[in-house]
Structure formats: C-alpha cells, structure tokens
Amino acid sequence: MRGHEPDDTRSAESGEREQWRDTRLTPAQRAEALIPLMTLEEKVAQLVGVWVGADASGGGVAPHQTDMGGGPEWPDAIRQGLGQLTRPFGTAPVDPVAGARSLAASQEEIVRTSRFGIPAQVHEECLTGFAAWRATVYPAPLSWGASFDPELVEQVAARIGRSMRAAGIHQGLAPVVDVTRDYRWGRTEETIGEDPYLVGTVGAAYVRGLEGAGLVATLKHFAGYSASRGGRNLAPVPMGARELADVVLPPFEMALRLGGARSVMNSYAEIDGVPVAADESLLTGLLRDEWGFDGTVVADYFAVRFLERLHGVAADGGQAAGLALRAGIDVELPTVDTFGAPLVDAVKAGAVDEALIDRALRRVLTQKAELGLLDPDWQPLPGPADEVRLDDEESQELALRLAREAIVLLRNDDAVLPLQAGRKVALVGPVADDPMAMLGCYAFPAHVGPHPEHGLGLEIPSLREALAGLVPDLAYAPGCDISGTDTSGIAEAVALATDSDVCVVAVGDRAGLFGRGTSGEGCDATDLRLPGVQAELVQAVLATGTPVVLVLLAGRPYALGEETDAAKAVLFGFFPGQRGGQALAEVLTGAVNPTGRLPVSVPRDAGGLPATYLAPPLGRRTQVSSVDPTPAYPFGHGLGYTTYEWSEARVAGGVTDWPVDGEVQVEVTVRNSGDRAGAEVVQLYLHDPVAQTTRPVVRLIGYARVPLEAGESARVSFTVPADATSFTGTHGRRIVEPGDVELRLGRSCAETVATLPLRLTGDVRDIGHGRRLQAPAQIDRNPPEGRG
C-alpha cells in the first residue's frame, strides 16, 4: 500500500501538496510547508494518540477503553488524521503476524480516511523487550546495570528495535534513565541503578541500539520521578535544585548527547510543588533552550489530565491542555482526552494561543517526516507480515548472555559455590519454581495481566526446571508464598534442608502493576523486608545448620542483615528474563563464572532509609546518630570463581597537577590470577575532600568490564577530563573547582585498590551542557611486563 495522495477536492493545491511530500527537502521544511494547510482540528489530531488493541484476526485495531473515560469511536478518531497509535500489540495477546496485519490495515484506513493521508506514528513499550505476546523477554534494567556492559546492552536494544520495526512500530517508550533514590519505590526494577554515570552510559547505549534500528527512543521519566517522598509512586518530590542537577539530570544529558534519543516523556512528579507536566522552565527552558533538544516531548499516560485531577493546578481539561502545551508537551498519550475537544474549544475561546499548537505540531510532523511517514511511497510494514518473528534463537541467546553477565555473587564462604557434584541438594523457596519470578513488570505477561486461555506465549524455564537438568535428584519444596502469611509449608522445606548436603533458598518478588505484585509500578514497599513470610523461611532453613545458598530474584535490593549472615553464599538476580533460570543454574553449578556487579547497594537494615552510596560524610555512619546506614553489600560489589591481581596503578607521566580545563590518563594492570576465565570490572571513583558544597564521599566517574582468560593480563587506561569533577556550586552554576582531589581505583565503591592524589589547578571554571560527559576506557591486552 503506497501513501494516499488526496484528490483535489480534499487537499491543498498540487504544488503545495508536493512540497510537503518532497523528500528532497529537510524534514523541518516539509513540516513548515504542511502546517499552513491544516485546519485547527487537523492540527490537534496530530497531537494525540488513540489507545487500541490489534484484532487477533488481522483485520484492524479497535479503541481500548480505559478507566480515565472512553476515547472516541474509531471512525471519529481518525477522521481528521491521527498523531499516534498506542500499543496495538501491548494491550492484549495477539499473534505477531496477525497483529502486524491488523496494524497495517488500520494504517491504510487512516491514510484513506483523512484529508492529508498521514499515517499514525505507532509506539510500544520495550523496557525488557518488545512488550508483545510471544516476544523475547530480556533481563530488566537493573540487570543491564549489573552487567556493567554498555556494548551488550546496545546489542540487546538493537535486536529489540529490529523486531519492533518489522512489526510496524516507530517509537519505543524506553529506556528509563531515572536514578534510584529510594529502593522502596516499586519502579526501582525499571531503573538501571543508583549512580548517574552508570545509568547514563548504559542508558545511552540502549538508546543507540534502538535508534540505530530505526526507532525513536523515548527517555523516561523527565525528571525527578524516582525521588518521591517515601518511595511512593507519584508522591511529591522534595528535591532541591542541586540534587536535580547533579544526580537526576546527567543521565538524561548523556542519553540525549551520547545516545541521540529523539523523544522524552515527562515525569508524573511534582518538584517543589510544580508538576513537571506544567513546568515550562524544565521542559522548555532547560531541555530545549539550554540543551538544544529538538525532538518530541510526549506525555506520560494521562499526565495532562492529572494536572486537573491529581495535582489541582488546572480547573478543567482545557486549562490542563494549555498548561501542558505551554510547558512544552507536544503529544498527549495514551488516548484522546484534553488535547481533543477541550483544547479546540480553549483555542476558539482565546484561552490558548494557536501558536502553541503550531509549535508542537512542527516537532511532531518533523519527526514523522524523519520516519518516512510523509513520503509518497510510504509502506505500512517494512516487509511481509508473514516474516514477523518476535522470539527466535538469536534473541534468546542474547537474552541469556545478558542474564549470565548480570548475576551477582555477593558472598561465597568456604567456596560452597559452585555446587559440587555428588552432593545432595535441596531447592526451596516461593520463586524457585515460578517462571514469572524471572520477569519485570514491563514484560508482557506481567504488564498486561493473566490471559489463561493464551498462556505465557513463551517457554520460560523456572530455576527449578533449569537446575534439575544439572543437579540429579534435586529435592524441592516451595516453603511459602511470595506474599501472604501462611507458614504451614516451612516445615517441609526445613525437612528437605536437614536431609541435604546444601540447600538453595530462592526468595524474592513477583512483578506486577498497582498492587498485583510485590515489585513494579504502584507496588511500593513500606520497608525492605522480604515480602510475606519469606524471611521466616530463610531463618528456619538457616537454623538447620545445612549450608545455605541464598538466591534472590527481585526487582529491588532487600535488606540482608544479621539474620542472613549464616548463609554461606548469596546470589542476586534482578529479574533476569526468560532465560534467567538457565543463567542462574549455570552460575550455581559453575558452568558460568559470575561477573555481575551491584548497580544498587544492598542494605543491612530494612528501615534505615532512604540512602544510596552517593552520600556526603554526614550521610554515612557517624557518632551523632544511632542509625548506621552502612550497607550489607556496597554499590559495585561482586565476586566470581577466579581471582584478580591489580598492579602498577598510576597517573600517566607522573602528573600531579591537573588543569581545570585539562585531562589526565589513569592506568592500572589487571591480571587473572585464577585458573578459569572471568571478567573483572575496574571502577574509577572521585573523592573530593574539600568543596564549596558538600559532596559524595565517592562517586563513579569511569568503569571498564575486562574479560580475561586464566593468566591473562590487561592494561586499563581511563582518559579523565577535569569536567568529570564538576558539580553545582553555591551560585547554582556547574563548575570545576581547583583544589586537591583523589582518583580511586576500586572493585566497588567501598573497596579501593589504589588511590591517586591530584591537584586541580587554575581558576574556578564555569561549564555547561557542552561539558565532556565520559571518562572513556581503553584495554590493552597482555602488556609488556613491568610497564608503568
């Protein structure tokens, strides 16, 4: 189906029509040519989505009715054209081929019905893979962070993007680049971690992969969403400008500048009383005027109506629409609401300037032109619908590779792991035989909810299934439920543990939405105790004296205090995806050497919150408080089945003075001194002992994942710009401040291997958005002996 060419009775004059269809012009020029030809109603229609579900027969899509009020009927929704189609695959189970055919048929109808024949831009969720039935489910974003492997995350995103593009999707609502601030927040599982540099570098890699596949990547959630009071979803954010600038915003900058994201989704948050959806200083002043972003800003679902119904800053839908447009939101999602009749009426009444609509429309049409949606030879699908395959062997292998890299070994006393052949092993715990324990809340089976008649749509081996293939005569008992208060099954688990040489205890979460799970959107926690009676199960099994391997499959770090100190080994998997059970079983049995590192700290005390490792001195253990926030396991920590020696750490050239506008080269040699291959993660931290504002004791400014064969060495070099030391000073400007600093090479934020003192020299230097954002690493394998 080629793009619709309207006849002369329904369109602008031929020359004008050809101009906005002319692919020789820039996308911006084509948008400018089209805008004057459109009526107010046609303009507004391009600024909304319609939430639809694809017909399982392949015949089209149908509007999805929501709790916020039903949208228009399909013929009415597309009469004036349509900006976006919302989640045709991600609303209900539909066969991928039938879904692609339905989407193509609906696009053809949109083109045929509307005056200008412009297809809709189609978006879907893709945080753990294309959120569609029968699509590969990859590990959740905390696992991305745990891998410390941006290159692999970029490959995953590219694979996800290709599958979506083949199905007719144009925009992915990912990645989440919020920085974790309070682990009780249910959406912690959607974040990459608690450090801005890790989040930014990994998030930018995901963006590169998705954008490279031809999709528009959408950064979520701009900004401050993850810093809600009490870790409660949508709760107010009591954050100051400095925390916003130094912790929350840098990952968005990195994902835009280093990744090339073309869309941003607003945060639901209100920061210091101003909802982001109505914050012109943030969505326009900072994002566009200062940072130069020229893509689209899309509203998080129902966020514009929330200005009226939840925030109370608008009296009605028309006023809410005007506030959002003025702030800088271009597209209302998920379906027609305030940007429909309320906005049209507000413009006609003079309450909203039509120029604001034109501004948003210009961005929307420019992006559609970039995507080829204004081209005369547009096709609804890149290829035949029959060739749409969303879950194949190559995708599963990529998901497995990421899961393997993301499993974190926190403790391994007496080398209880790997499990030794011939030992009698018991497996207990409520997540041990639950495939859903592998999936985050944006995986289709968890996000859309149960459809028993369709099943999961995928083979998702549980830990029990995967481990049984490697451990003969594996005994199993659930012990208890993930949530709930029933303890009657604990006795059976205790009996199995008592009769075994080692007991693997698998505990954790089930992801869901708004109370349907223990982790996920709207599934916030009051503290960091394991859900339900799982802690009682753990303690009862530990009391048997049988060596215990504690496995956590979860979306947040749960407190591992004194009651778990008797565990011989602790493994953490952050919703490792559909092949996560296999990855865990391979790590437990030694087929895979664990190389993951913690993207979040694991607290010792379930109630000493909120706290992450990014704390100034008074945020650490002190003599003036009885609460010790020191974690059980720190950010960046992780063990393996081999050992590494670090040597010859230095600043190249013996430099001690570091100009405030210069760079230094930091080097260290790492050798695999064990008897099997592995990967060390070299982490570079900054310590700034004296500054004009309080600073974190350490913060990550560089890292390198270094795979090494047994006996192999590598020289790791970081090129560190002075910009990496910058922070927001007392006058509210980002500066590089002269003075003494330390660069610390370490295995985690708490385990320093080498300290390199330097002195920043020169005058205080103001820097802005154009600063250097990375300390890139270079790995030179098998360097000459004695180098350095």
Side-chain angles (χ1 to χ4, degrees):
M1 162 70 187
R2 301 179 77 81
H4 171 65
E5 285 288 343
D7 61 40
D8 288 340
T9 63
R10 296 196 306 143
S11 69
E13 293 185 8
S14 174
E16 294 172 320
R17 184 171 68 249
E18 290 173 359
Q19 190 174 19
W20 64 268
R21 291 284 195 192
D22 189 349
T23 58
R24 295 171 298 179
L25 300 179
T26 67
Q29 288 172 330
R30 296 169 69 185
E32 289 292 349
L34 179 55
I35 290 172
L37 310 179
M38 303 178 81
T39 67
L40 174 61
E41 288 77 10
E42 287 169 333
K43 292 176 180 179
V44 170
Q46 291 295 321
L47 308 185
V48 297
V50 171
W51 197 341
V52 296
D55 192 316
S57 71
V61 300
H64 171 65
Q65 305 303 312
T66 75
D67 292 337
M68 292 295 293
E73 294 296 323
W74 178 250
D76 295 330
I78 65 173
R79 184 170 293 114
Q80 304 291 345
L82 183 62
Q84 295 220 6
L85 283 169
T86 295
R87 305 200 64 188
F89 287 83
T91 298
V94 60
D95 177 81
V97 171
R101 287 175 175 159
S102 288
L103 178 56
S106 297
Q107 288 278 45
E108 290 170 350
E109 187 178 1
I110 292 168
V111 167
R112 184 170 60 249
T113 301
S114 55
R115 184 163 71 105
F116 290 99
I118 301 170
Q121 187 165 327
V122 187
H123 76 261
E124 285 283 359
E125 299 284 0
C126 57
L127 195 61
T128 58
F130 185 5
W133 194 53
R134 294 184 176 174
T136 303
V137 180
Y138 294 85
L142 276 180
S143 283
W144 311 352
S147 75
F148 277 75
D149 192 344
E151 291 78 13
L152 178 56
V153 171
E154 183 173 344
Q155 292 178 43
V156 166
R159 188 77 186 173
I160 294 169
R162 285 196 294 272
S163 69
M164 295 173 71
R165 193 68 195 90
I169 311 302
H170 308 104
Q171 182 170 1
L173 302 188
V176 171
V177 287
D178 295 308
V179 177
T180 301
R181 302 300 286 161
D182 188 331
Y183 313 131
R184 295 172 295 182
W185 190 47
R187 302 189 79 165
T188 293
E189 64 166 77
E190 298 179 44
T191 70
I192 297 167
E194 67 182 49
D195 178 84
Y197 189 83
L198 178 66
V199 174
T201 49
V202 174
Y206 185 94
V207 168
R208 287 194 297 272
L210 207 63
E211 290 278 353
L215 260 72
V216 174
T218 306
L219 305 183
K220 297 159 62 171
H221 306 86
F222 190 76
Y225 189 24
S226 58
S228 58
R229 184 177 276 122
R232 297 177 58 244
N233 198 39
L234 270 68
V237 173
M239 179 169 47
R242 188 164 287 104
E243 181 182 357
L244 180 69
D246 289 351
V247 177
V248 171
L249 293 178
F252 288 94
E253 292 183 86
M254 297 176 82
L256 290 171
R257 284 183 51 200
L258 306 178
R262 287 182 285 172
S263 186
V264 169
M265 176 177 278
N266 76 281
S267 162
Y268 285 130
E270 58 177 82
I271 302 175
D272 195 24
V274 180
V276 171
D279 192 341
E280 187 174 4
S281 66
L282 191 60
L283 297 182
T284 296
L286 177 72
L287 181 62
R288 295 194 183 278
D289 297 344
E290 185 175 337
W291 289 3
F293 176 67
D294 60 1
T296 58
V297 175
V298 299
D300 205 343
Y301 287 11
F302 311 114
V304 181
R305 179 63 77 174
F306 286 170
L307 294 176
E308 173 202 355
R309 295 188 179 175
L310 298 185
H311 296 294
V313 297
D316 54 34
Q319 188 177 9
L323 286 173
L325 271 173
R326 187 172 296 107
I329 287 178
D330 302 314
V331 180
E332 182 180 32
L333 299 178
T335 199
V336 183
D337 187 16
T338 70
F339 276 27
L343 178 57
V344 172
D345 292 345
V347 172
K348 290 179 177 179
V352 174
D353 189 345
E354 189 171 349
L356 294 175
I357 290 174
D358 289 350
R359 183 180 70 172
L361 179 62
R362 185 172 296 111
R363 298 162 182 161
V364 167
L365 293 178
T366 298
Q367 191 163 96
K368 284 195 170 188
E370 292 172 352
L371 292 167
L373 297 178
L374 303 188
D375 292 357
D377 60 351
W378 166 82
Q379 300 282 341
L381 285 175
D386 291 346
E387 296 180 3
V388 175
R389 299 289 183 270
L390 304 185
D391 183 44
D392 55 27
E393 186 174 348
E394 184 177 346
S395 300
Q396 289 187 29
E397 284 300 312
L398 201 55
L400 176 60
R401 182 180 162 196
L402 180 55
R404 287 168 172 163
E405 290 194 5
I407 303 299
V408 187
L409 177 62
L410 302 181
R411 180 192 300 167
N412 193 21
D413 295 346
D414 302 328
V416 69
L417 290 179
L419 296 172
Q420 297 175 16
R423 303 194 76 186
K424 189 174 182 181
V425 179
L427 173 64
V428 305
V431 303
D433 198 27
D434 184 0
M436 295 295 291
M438 303 295 165
L439 310 184
C441 75
Y442 269 77
F444 183 89
H447 195 74
V448 176
H451 287 81
E453 69 277 15
H454 292 279
L456 294 179
L458 299 167
E459 290 186 9
I460 307 175
S462 68
L463 175 57
R464 179 189 180 188
E465 291 175 295
L467 194 58
L470 300 173
V471 176
D473 302 319
L474 181 70
Y476 162 73
C480 64
D481 294 330
I482 292 173
S483 55
T485 59
D486 184 4
T487 60
S488 62
I490 293 179
E492 182 185 4
V494 167
L496 287 183
T498 302
D499 192 40
S500 300
D501 297 320
V502 63
C503 183
V504 178
V505 183
V507 294
D509 282 318
R510 173 175 283 205
L513 297 176
F514 306 111
R516 295 203 307 264
T518 59
S519 174
E521 186 173 357
C523 298
D524 309 317
T526 55
D527 59 40
L528 294 179
R529 295 178 180 87
L530 285 165
V533 295
Q534 293 184 75
E536 295 180 43
L537 171 66
V538 173
Q539 292 160 26
V541 175
L542 286 171
T544 67
T546 298
V548 167
V549 176
L550 183 61
V551 174
L552 292 100
L553 282 167
R556 62 165 63 87
Y558 284 103
L560 299 178
E562 294 179 359
E563 64 273 15
T564 63
D565 283 346
K568 290 295 184 181
V570 180
L571 276 172
F572 217 120
F574 297 100
F575 290 143
Q578 76 183 72
R579 299 289 290 275
Q582 178 181 342
L584 274 165
E586 291 171 337
V587 168
L588 286 166
T589 57
V592 166
N593 185 0
T595 57
R597 300 294 186 267
L598 283 175
V600 287
S601 305
V602 174
R604 175 167 289 274
D605 183 353
L609 300 166
T612 72
Y613 96 97
L614 290 174
L618 286 176
R620 302 291 186 95
R621 182 180 181 181
T622 69
Q623 300 301 311
V624 295
S625 173
S626 58
V627 175
D628 181 0
T630 304
Y633 302 97
F635 172 86
H637 172 72
L639 306 175
Y641 299 149
T642 189
T643 56
Y644 303 94
E645 295 177 353
W646 296 29
S647 63
E648 299 176 323
R650 68 166 194 168
V651 177
V655 170
T656 56
D657 287 347
W658 186 4
V660 295
D661 59 353
E663 64 181 32
V664 293
Q665 195 90 5
V666 176
E667 302 175 344
V668 66
T669 295
V670 179
R671 185 174 77 89
N672 183 344
S673 54
D675 58 2
R676 63 178 296 172
E680 179 69 301
V681 178
V682 178
Q683 299 163 49
L684 180 64
Y685 293 89
L686 172 73
H687 172 61
D688 190 351
V690 179
Q692 60 181 256
T693 68
T694 62
R695 305 296 302 134
V697 175
V698 292
R699 64 179 176 88
L700 187 72
I701 60 170
Y703 62 87
R705 181 184 175 88
V706 189
L708 293 169
E709 297 295 325
E712 185 182 16
S713 298
R715 188 72 173 168
V716 182
S717 302
F718 295 94
T719 301
V720 189
D723 292 5
T725 71
S726 67
F727 61 95
T728 302
T730 54
H731 297 291
R733 300 188 303 274
R734 180 172 287 277
I735 61 170
V736 176
E737 185 180 38
D740 293 330
V741 296
E742 292 176 358
L743 296 181
R744 298 179 177 179
L745 289 158
R747 294 188 172 94
S748 75
C749 70
E751 185 180 355
T752 299
V753 176
T755 299
L756 305 172
L758 289 161
R759 183 170 184 81
L760 286 159
T761 60
D763 297 326
V764 173
R765 174 171 159 251
D766 282 6
I767 61 173
H769 177 58
R771 70 188 185 281
R772 294 169 66 181
L773 296 172
Q774 284 185 286
Q778 180 176 334
I779 300 172
D780 178 15
R781 297 189 178 279
N782 293 312
E785 291 291 331
R787 176 176 174 176

